[in-house]
Amino acid sequence: MENHVLDNLKYSYLWNKYRPMVLKLMKDAADKPQQYKFQKHEFHDINPKEKGGHSFTMELSNGRPSKEVKTSMVAKSLFAVLDQSMTAMDLSQGATYEFAMDKQYNLEITLKESKEENTDAVSEEVEELPKEA
């Protein structure tokens, strides 16, 4: 039987359970940052002595995480679950999302750079190019 990467990550079950909610928050983050308050026991039941606590900050840009994901098992598990989702990968293509969970277990998802902003920036650069005579 094949050993799947999610099987080795402690928090994958929890993030899988909340994946539909996380995806909705990612979609809604186009308007304004979105928040969700987890219950402390949800993370403490999995690993009460998590090194560095359960808080983290992770950026997801073009389907790839920021470097911080290597230091946080909570963030690493979140990325592994999102990486299995075509919807999450589609949303993050050409965009940058920030996922931040504080010590009170508030998850905030912010769209820092959207696909439209990237397109607009390219359009503005093209308009500013000098015209050849």
Side-chain angles (χ1 to χ4, degrees), residues 60-74:
L60 185 65
S61 183
N62 291 317
R64 305 300 339 144
S66 60
K67 294 176 185 170
E68 293 89 40
V69 78
K70 294 177 183 171
T71 60
S72 169
M73 182 58 74
V74 179

Side-chain angles (χ1 to χ4, degrees), residues 43-103:
F43 290 90
H44 275 264
D45 288 353
I46 296 169
N47 187 8
K49 298 179 182 178
E50 178 66 43
K51 284 184 185 177
H54 297 96
S55 59
F56 68 90
T57 301
M58 172 183 76
E59 281 192 6
L60 185 65
S61 183
N62 291 317
R64 305 300 339 144
S66 60
K67 294 176 185 170
E68 293 89 40
V69 78
K70 294 177 183 171
T71 60
S72 169
M73 182 58 74
V74 179
K76 193 174 189 177
S77 298
L78 172 59
F79 170 69
V81 168
L82 292 176
D83 192 40
Q84 301 298 312
S85 167
M86 290 300 296
T87 303
M89 291 299 106
D90 287 346
L91 286 169
S92 70
Q93 287 304 314
T96 301
Y97 285 89
E98 181 180 73
F99 298 82
M101 188 158 70
D102 62 22
K103 292 180 180 181

